[in-house]
Amino acid sequence: MTSPDYRLTQLETLEAESVHVIREVAAELERPVLLFSGGKDSIVMLELARKAFAPARIPFPVMHVDTGLNFPEVLDFRDKRVAELGVQLVVASVPDAIAAGTVKEEPNGSRNRIQTPVLLDAVEEHGFTALFGGARRDEDKARAKERVFSFRDEFGQWDPKNQRPELWDLYNGRIHIGESLRVFPLSNWTELDIWQYIARENIAIPPLYLAQEREVVERQGMLYAVNEFIRPRDGEHVFRETVRYRTVGDANLTAAVRSHAVTVEEVIAEIAVTRMTERGATRGDDKVSDAAMEDRKKEGYF
């Protein structure tokens, strides 16, 4: 008779760690909220939250900082998934803030920086003390510096040199009034882990993540699908190409990649051999400078 094997696989280990983090926040913090945009990382994070409390409902709301420039397919998926789970959706609207004059749109078309005050206003309005984010350390150098429990001061700001130690997976959730935590259950996951988990759990995703022939234009070496936010400029040539999205940020600044992956399994095979992160390959809004992400995080962004 062979002895049972109690060793966990890579995905089982990551899942157990993330579920532990989510439960720890729910136990320690008064009013958490989960950031849910309808992108692949937040989809996995929401599924982990569902598992963490099943068969009970998720005991906190989800929030989307809506820039007004989202892919319609992603918003449709967001609303459908929230309805399926019966969780409360809080929408912090950047267009509403622009109309009210509390933020001013930047000339470069990016709304990343003005997302920050909208996010912080929503945190203050709803009294959120912990915000789950789907960031992973493999995405960006600034995100690699994050702790799992990332402390933010009363202004929502992040000081990368003044973070709490996290020894033996022990997390310090103590905060004073006005302070908050950003919590990253997927910190130790990679893009490949995300896709393998989506395949293992048969998780639904927006169709943008799978290859399809689309009309595109090329800008700065990246392919942008023509849509309501991307229109051809003078001198630009529109052509058809089979592409998919590795990440789904704002539709006016998120590029697609050439791909023939029409199934999740084919996406996994493609990601396994790539050597560039999805943000580096597709996010035009991160090309302002090498420190663009870190600068925004210090101001209060995720």
Side-chain angles (χ1 to χ4, degrees):
M1 180 180 295
T2 59
S3 299
D5 187 355
Y6 295 109
R7 291 174 296 181
L8 299 180
T9 65
Q10 165 79 354
L11 286 183
E12 288 170 338
T13 301
L14 290 171
E15 178 187 66
E17 178 188 56
S18 299
V19 166
H20 166 65
V21 168
I22 292 169
R23 288 173 176 166
E24 190 75 8
V25 170
E28 285 193 51
L29 279 299
E30 182 179 0
R31 186 155 172 75
V33 65
L34 186 146
L35 272 289
F36 181 62
S37 64
K40 66 183 186 303
D41 298 311
S42 66
I43 289 170
V44 167
M45 188 168 59
L46 187 59
E47 174 63 14
L48 291 165
R50 184 195 67 79
K51 281 194 170 189
F53 305 104
R57 292 170 60 178
I58 297 172
F60 41 75
V62 300
M63 179 167 69
H64 182 208
V65 182
D66 183 2
T67 63
L69 301 173
N70 300 282
F71 291 98
E73 299 94 326
V74 177
L75 292 181
D76 290 343
F77 182 91
R78 178 201 71 183
D79 294 340
K80 179 182 177 182
R81 188 64 180 135
V82 165
E84 289 172 347
L85 293 175
V87 294
Q88 176 191 359
L89 172 64
V90 176
V91 177
S93 173
V94 174
D96 287 353
I98 293 173
T102 56
V103 296
K104 185 177 180 180
E105 192 157 15
E106 297 188 84
N108 62 6
S110 173
R111 291 183 177 177
N112 259 353
R113 191 170 291 277
I114 61 175
Q115 277 182 285
T116 301
V118 176
L119 170 67
L120 297 179
D121 286 347
V123 170
E124 183 177 0
E125 178 185 351
H126 295 278
F128 294 133
T129 53
L131 288 77
F132 290 106
R136 310 185 321 267
R137 289 185 176 127
D138 72 323
E139 290 181 273
D140 182 90
K141 290 179 285 187
R143 287 180 167 174
K145 296 180 181 181
E146 287 278 20
R147 300 288 198 269
V148 175
F149 276 36
S150 180
F151 175 76
R152 303 301 172 100
D153 64 20
E154 63 271 26
F155 302 106
Q157 296 178 331
W158 174 63
D159 180 359
K161 296 180 180 180
N162 185 27
Q163 293 294 311
R164 298 164 175 176
E166 293 178 344
L167 305 177
W168 307 293
D169 295 331
L170 297 176
Y171 304 109
N172 182 355
R174 295 180 181 177
I175 57 172
H176 294 103
I177 294 176
E179 298 172 341
S180 63
L181 295 175
R182 305 287 195 274
V183 182
F184 303 104
L186 305 181
S187 283
N188 294 324
W189 296 57
T190 65
E191 184 184 9
L192 185 59
D193 293 326
I194 292 292
W195 281 109
Q196 289 175 333
Y197 191 76
I198 288 171
R200 194 191 82 172
E201 300 296 314
N202 195 27
I203 300 172
I205 56 172
L208 290 173
Y209 283 115
L210 301 178
Q212 180 181 329
E213 189 176 274
R214 296 179 170 93
E215 288 190 340
V216 299
V217 293
E218 185 169 352
R219 293 177 186 171
Q220 296 180 311
M222 296 191 292
L223 299 177
Y224 292 88
V226 176
N227 54 50
E228 62 178 302
F229 304 110
I230 291 284
R231 308 309 302 174
R233 298 170 181 168
D234 291 342
E236 285 185 335
H237 172 61
V238 178
F239 58 99
R240 298 191 68 82
E241 186 70 72
T242 302
V243 296
R244 70 176 190 86
Y245 287 88
R246 288 179 66 184
T247 181
V248 287
D250 284 354
N252 65 328
L253 290 169
T254 303
V257 295
R258 289 183 174 89
S259 172
H260 293 283
V262 295
T263 67
V264 171
E265 289 71 25
E266 289 175 342
V267 170
I268 291 171
E270 194 174 85
I271 295 300
V273 297
T274 190
R275 291 296 176 265
M276 181 177 286
T277 68
E278 65 263 47
R279 296 192 73 91
T282 66
R283 297 296 286 267
D285 48 350
D286 285 337
K287 295 185 178 294
V288 177
S289 73
D290 288 340
M293 174 66 75
E294 183 159 339
D295 290 342
R296 293 200 302 271
K297 287 175 74 66
K298 288 178 179 178
E299 295 170 357
Y301 182 71
F302 265 85

